[in-house]
Amino acid sequence: DGGITQSPKYLFRKEGQNVTLSCEQNLNHDAMYWYRQDPGQGLRLIYYSQIVNDFQKGDIAEGYSVSREKKESFPLTVTSAQKNPTAFYLCASSRTGPSYGYTFGSGTRLTVV
Amino acid sequence: AQSVTQLDSQVPVFEEAPVELRCNYSSSVSVYLFWYVQYPNQGLQLLLKYLSGSTLVESINGFEAEFNKSQTSFHLRKPSVHISDTAEYFCAVSETIKAAGNKLTFGGGTRVLVKP
């Protein structure tokens, strides 16, 4: 079955360490997205990519980095510059065009101690 | 630019009672409308969407939403909720023009707590 896989589901890191969250899709979608979710704050867009080797900053890109070397993969690195990295991170993908909506992964909960 | 407002951040409701989740949007062009559901510690799942045609759309698990263009609303309803409907619900909108690309704008979410 096609879908989006985020791994790991839970991740613990010490403060000051960089950490990379994985997102892989086998839906043949062109566009991919990363969102951050905090309690009571809805979804906030971190980065998005509409095509391989190209990506754009979202609303809260500071302290994060991404790459899009393959259509299927869009990893997110949370760097030590991110002041409050503990959150639930969601990856999504979509076909080209506004009528399709997004398909989401099951999320990664990152806890920095 | 489009925006989405979900008027209630939390909605407590008793089991078997009806529920309505309100969603209003703002856009200068025609839009497509979506409702997503998020169960605890999971990703978002598409519940239903309005693209065109009948303004009333239904999901397979008893939810329905009605598109009201004059009021720029897309409220979600269920006549009788179950404990398993406890979740957070997100309304989202995308503009139909090509220049908008795939951009989906989400509301802030409504948390539904179904009580026995």
Side-chain angles (χ1 to χ4, degrees):
Chain A
D1 287 342
I4 297 184
T5 301
Q6 289 189 244
S7 60
K9 188 154 181 72
Y10 299 95
L11 190 54
F12 295 88
R13 278 295 181 269
K14 290 184 178 180
E15 195 171 337
Q17 290 182 334
N18 291 356
V19 61
T20 297
L21 282 58
S22 170
C23 178
E24 304 276 334
Q25 55 101 356
N26 60 2
L27 299 165
N28 199 32
H29 287 174
D30 288 313
M32 297 186 75
Y33 313 82
W34 273 106
Y35 287 89
R36 171 180 172 140
Q37 191 174 26
D38 297 282
Q41 294 198 41
L43 301 169
R44 292 187 289 170
L45 182 64
I46 305 172
Y47 269 98
Y48 64 102
S49 167
Q50 295 189 329
I51 196 168
V52 174
N53 292 322
D54 189 38
F55 49 82
Q56 287 78 41
K57 293 181 180 180
D59 301 318
I60 56 163
E62 185 176 350
Y64 299 97
S65 66
V66 294
S67 63
R68 186 88 188 275
E69 298 176 1
K70 299 187 299 181
K71 188 175 185 178
E72 302 80 15
S73 179
F74 192 41
L76 173 75
T77 297
V78 184
T79 75
S80 56
Q82 168 51 234
K83 290 183 170 52
N84 186 17
T86 294
F88 190 54
Y89 291 87
L90 286 163
C91 180
S93 69
S94 71
R95 294 174 62 178
T96 301
S99 66
Y100 297 108
Y102 295 173
T103 301
F104 283 85
S106 58
T108 292
R109 187 167 297 280
L110 173 64
T111 303
V112 175
V113 296
Chain B
Q2 72 260 40
S3 66
V4 181
T5 302
Q6 292 184 240
L7 296 160
D8 306 296
S9 59
Q10 293 189 65
V11 174
V13 57
F14 285 105
E15 194 173 15
E16 298 184 4
V19 70
E20 178 180 79
L21 309 184
R22 296 179 292 168
C23 172
N24 286 89
Y25 68 92
S26 173
S27 175
S28 57
V29 300
S30 298
V31 296
Y32 299 125
L33 295 151
F34 305 81
W35 275 101
Y36 285 85
V37 58
Q38 183 181 32
Y39 300 105
N41 293 311
Q42 294 186 29
L44 278 69
Q45 304 172 31
L46 180 65
L47 192 57
L48 48 77
K49 63 181 178 181
Y50 170 79
L51 301 181
S52 64
S54 172
T55 57
L56 186 66
V57 290
E58 298 177 352
S59 72
I60 57 172
N61 56 353
F63 283 93
E64 63 180 30
E66 185 159 21
F67 170 52
N68 188 319
K69 188 174 181 180
S70 63
Q71 297 187 7
T72 61
S73 68
F74 191 52
H75 301 334
L76 181 70
R77 302 182 185 95
K78 188 170 186 179
S80 176
V81 295
H82 190 267
I83 294 286
S84 59
D85 293 321
T86 294
E88 190 157 18
Y89 295 80
F90 290 91
C91 183
V93 61
S94 65
E95 294 183 333
T96 60
I97 56 174
K98 191 174 180 181
N102 301 342
K103 186 178 179 183
L104 199 58
T105 299
F106 289 90
T110 298
R111 195 175 296 272
V112 173
L113 176 60
V114 181
K115 303 176 181 179

